[in-house]
Amino acid sequence: MFNKDTFENKLATSWLGRSLYFFEELPSTNTFAKKLKEDGVLHGTLVLTDVQSRGRGQHEHEWIVDPGQNLTFSLVFQPGNANRLNLLTLTCALSVKDTIENLTGVDAQIKWPNDVLVKGKKLCGILTETVFIGNKLDRVVVGIGLNVNQQKFSGEVLKGATSLKIETGVDLNRESLLAHLVQDIEYKYRLWSQQDAELLKNINRSLVGYGNWVSLKVDGNQLPGKFKFLGANNNGELIALNSDLDVKSFAFEQVRVVSL
Ligand code: BTN
């Protein structure tokens, strides 16, 4: 069972996770964070559950993991506008990669646009959603599912997935892992909001296929030819070279990197 007090004792952030909603069981931390009333939300709110019964993934898939084994949580940010949110998702993915590398030595990569992989297997998925009030952005909810101590995975999204236990052979302390991860996200959130150039480079260097010739699917249709995958620019668009060496940019939501 996840111990909320242990986690709070280990947490060394100044604002992220300081407002905490912890539930032993919840259908979905993202759904809960999106439904919070305006006055129940603070920039930096963390919603966390040990048993997520109706976890949601990308494309309306279900995120189904064993109870009490993993980390399933959502972070609420109020950046004031909806610019560059795809880079915020990638920033959180980089935090996952860096934190697990520091704590366990496991080498991970970011799979565009929202996964963290180890040796090609899914370790973590991120679902970023927004809440608008009228035409003003009220909050961004970044939902993170990180596979920690579970050893077998099934279901549409996670069949063949990996976990830190599978990679290292040891059980990890989830309270400590989450405290480190949230601290790293707090640090990198500032870099993201300052449009830090080094952060962008680090994201791009960590992308699966970075610098390789890949195929791209836009809105579900495969584009002819191969593209050299260069990652994101500062607006969060995907940048690639075609075989005539023309630089092409694509809106983040449209595009999938399909063959590596
Ligand atoms: C994906 O890879 O498809 C994204 C999965 C995101 C899962 C997390 S678990 C915590 C948060 N709450 C949800 O319902 N989903 C996200």
Side-chain angles (χ1 to χ4, degrees):
M1 168 71 79
F2 189 92
N3 190 314
K4 171 182 176 275
D5 295 337
T6 307
F7 165 68
E8 285 189 304
N9 287 335
K10 288 178 187 285
L11 189 65
T13 54
S14 57
W15 55 272
L16 190 57
R18 291 287 153 199
S19 153
L20 171 64
Y21 291 88
F22 174 74
F23 300 92
E24 285 178 11
E25 184 165 350
L26 195 68
S28 156
T29 56
N30 262 40
T31 304
F32 181 89
K34 283 172 72 179
K35 285 192 174 155
L36 275 170
K37 294 228 168 63
E38 271 169 88
D39 54 10
V41 182
L42 282 177
H43 178 62
T45 295
L46 166 61
V47 182
L48 171 65
T49 188
D50 211 17
V51 183
Q52 188 172 243
S53 53
R54 304 284 306 267
R56 296 186 294 108
Q58 294 285 324
H59 313 296
E60 311 297 321
H61 290 309
E62 279 186 315
W63 182 264
I64 304 166
V65 289
D66 290 350
Q69 300 286 310
N70 302 294
L71 288 173
T72 46
F73 63 99
S74 301
L75 296 166
V76 181
F77 300 104
Q78 296 187 300
N81 63 58
N83 299 339
R84 304 169 67 252
L85 291 185
N86 44 337
L87 287 180
L88 180 58
T89 304
L90 290 167
T91 298
C92 292
L94 183 66
S95 276
V96 171
K97 172 192 154 62
D98 287 350
T99 303
I100 62 158
E101 231 161 78
N102 287 337
L103 293 181
T104 69
V106 169
D107 192 21
Q109 285 188 297
I110 301 171
K111 168 107 194 312
W112 183 282
N114 63 333
D115 288 340
V116 180
L117 308 185
V118 176
K119 296 183 212 129
K121 293 180 177 175
K122 186 151 170 156
L123 177 80
C124 170
I126 302 180
L127 179 65
T128 299
E129 299 182 292
T130 47
V131 176
F132 281 83
I133 294 179
N135 57 8
K136 188 178 177 311
L137 179 74
D138 181 65
R139 75 196 79 146
V140 185
V141 175
V142 179
I144 301 182
L146 174 58
N147 304 333
V148 185
N149 292 325
Q150 189 172 330
Q151 302 215 60
K152 277 210 179 99
F153 293 89
S154 54
E156 215 169 357
V157 182
L158 285 170
K159 195 164 185 287
T162 194
S163 69
L164 293 172
K165 169 86 190 233
I166 293 173
E167 297 302 325
T168 62
V170 292
D171 270 315
L172 264 109
N173 179 293
R174 292 180 299 147
E175 292 80 2
S176 172
L177 174 60
L178 184 63
H180 280 94
L181 176 55
V182 171
Q183 190 170 353
D184 195 79
I185 294 174
E186 179 180 276
Y187 169 68
K188 287 190 172 69
Y189 182 89
R190 186 166 55 81
L191 300 182
W192 170 78
S193 64
Q194 294 169 341
Q195 308 201 14
D196 183 84
E198 204 55 36
L199 173 74
L200 189 59
K201 280 187 203 159
N202 287 335
I203 289 171
N204 286 337
R205 282 190 205 112
S206 306
L207 288 168
V208 176
Y210 171 68
N212 294 343
W213 291 96
V214 299
S215 300
L216 298 179
K217 246 186 194 174
V218 175
D219 291 333
N221 303 314
Q222 187 154 333
L223 298 181
K226 292 271 181 192
F227 293 83
K228 191 165 239 203
F229 180 44
L230 302 179
N233 66 11
N234 192 38
N235 300 323
E237 295 159 333
L238 185 151
I239 304 298
L241 288 179
N242 67 14
S243 48
D244 293 328
L245 302 185
D246 299 320
V247 178
K248 298 280 175 195
S249 62
F250 301 92
F252 185 86
E253 318 81 56
Q254 305 176 315
V255 67
R256 292 283 175 279
V257 180
V258 282
S259 80
L260 300 167

